[in-house]
Short mmCIF file of all heavy atoms in Angstrom, two decimals:
data_model
loop_
_atom_site.label_atom_id
_atom_site.label_comp_id
_atom_site.label_asym_id
_atom_site.label_seq_id
_atom_site.Cartn_x
_atom_site.Cartn_y
_atom_site.Cartn_z
N THR A 1019 11.18 -16.52 3.41
CA THR A 1019 12.15 -17.53 2.98
C THR A 1019 13.42 -16.92 2.40
O THR A 1019 14.36 -17.64 2.08
CB THR A 1019 11.52 -18.46 1.93
OG1 THR A 1019 11.08 -17.68 0.82
CG2 THR A 1019 10.34 -19.22 2.53
N ALA A 1020 13.45 -15.60 2.25
CA ALA A 1020 14.61 -14.91 1.68
C ALA A 1020 14.62 -13.48 2.21
O ALA A 1020 13.72 -13.05 2.92
CB ALA A 1020 14.54 -14.93 0.16
N THR A 1021 15.65 -12.75 1.82
CA THR A 1021 15.80 -11.34 2.18
C THR A 1021 15.57 -10.50 0.93
O THR A 1021 15.96 -10.89 -0.17
CB THR A 1021 17.22 -11.09 2.75
OG1 THR A 1021 17.36 -11.88 3.94
CG2 THR A 1021 17.45 -9.63 3.07
N ALA A 1022 14.93 -9.35 1.10
CA ALA A 1022 14.67 -8.44 -0.02
C ALA A 1022 15.28 -7.07 0.30
O ALA A 1022 15.07 -6.53 1.38
CB ALA A 1022 13.17 -8.28 -0.24
N VAL A 1023 16.05 -6.54 -0.67
CA VAL A 1023 16.71 -5.25 -0.52
C VAL A 1023 16.47 -4.43 -1.78
O VAL A 1023 16.53 -4.96 -2.90
CB VAL A 1023 18.22 -5.43 -0.27
CG1 VAL A 1023 18.95 -4.10 -0.29
CG2 VAL A 1023 18.47 -6.16 1.04
N ALA A 1024 16.20 -3.13 -1.60
CA ALA A 1024 16.05 -2.23 -2.74
C ALA A 1024 17.43 -1.97 -3.35
O ALA A 1024 18.36 -1.60 -2.65
CB ALA A 1024 15.42 -0.92 -2.30
N THR A 1025 17.57 -2.21 -4.65
CA THR A 1025 18.84 -1.94 -5.33
C THR A 1025 18.88 -0.56 -5.96
O THR A 1025 19.88 -0.18 -6.54
CB THR A 1025 19.15 -3.03 -6.38
OG1 THR A 1025 18.07 -3.09 -7.31
CG2 THR A 1025 19.34 -4.38 -5.72
N GLU A 1026 17.77 0.15 -5.86
CA GLU A 1026 17.67 1.56 -6.24
C GLU A 1026 16.48 2.13 -5.47
O GLU A 1026 15.74 1.37 -4.84
CB GLU A 1026 17.51 1.73 -7.75
CG GLU A 1026 16.32 1.00 -8.34
CD GLU A 1026 16.31 1.05 -9.86
OE1 GLU A 1026 17.21 0.46 -10.49
OE2 GLU A 1026 15.37 1.67 -10.40
N ASP A 1027 16.32 3.44 -5.49
CA ASP A 1027 15.16 4.02 -4.82
C ASP A 1027 13.91 3.35 -5.38
O ASP A 1027 13.76 3.22 -6.60
CB ASP A 1027 15.11 5.53 -5.02
CG ASP A 1027 16.22 6.26 -4.27
OD1 ASP A 1027 16.87 5.63 -3.40
OD2 ASP A 1027 16.42 7.45 -4.53
N THR A 1028 13.04 2.91 -4.49
CA THR A 1028 11.94 2.04 -4.88
C THR A 1028 10.63 2.45 -4.19
O THR A 1028 10.64 2.89 -3.04
CB THR A 1028 12.29 0.58 -4.49
OG1 THR A 1028 13.46 0.20 -5.21
CG2 THR A 1028 11.17 -0.38 -4.81
N VAL A 1029 9.53 2.28 -4.92
CA VAL A 1029 8.19 2.46 -4.36
C VAL A 1029 7.49 1.11 -4.48
O VAL A 1029 7.43 0.52 -5.56
CB VAL A 1029 7.38 3.55 -5.10
CG1 VAL A 1029 5.96 3.64 -4.53
CG2 VAL A 1029 8.09 4.89 -5.02
N LEU A 1030 6.97 0.63 -3.35
CA LEU A 1030 6.25 -0.63 -3.31
C LEU A 1030 4.81 -0.40 -2.90
O LEU A 1030 4.52 0.47 -2.09
CB LEU A 1030 6.89 -1.59 -2.30
CG LEU A 1030 8.33 -2.00 -2.54
CD1 LEU A 1030 8.81 -2.91 -1.41
CD2 LEU A 1030 8.50 -2.68 -3.88
N LEU A 1031 3.92 -1.19 -3.48
CA LEU A 1031 2.53 -1.23 -3.05
C LEU A 1031 2.40 -2.43 -2.12
O LEU A 1031 2.82 -3.53 -2.46
CB LEU A 1031 1.61 -1.37 -4.25
CG LEU A 1031 1.74 -0.31 -5.32
CD1 LEU A 1031 0.79 -0.60 -6.48
CD2 LEU A 1031 1.51 1.08 -4.76
#
Side-chain angles (χ1 to χ4, degrees):
T1019 58
T1021 298
V1023 173
T1025 57
E1026 57 188 66
D1027 290 347
T1028 298
V1029 176
L1030 299 178
L1031 304 178

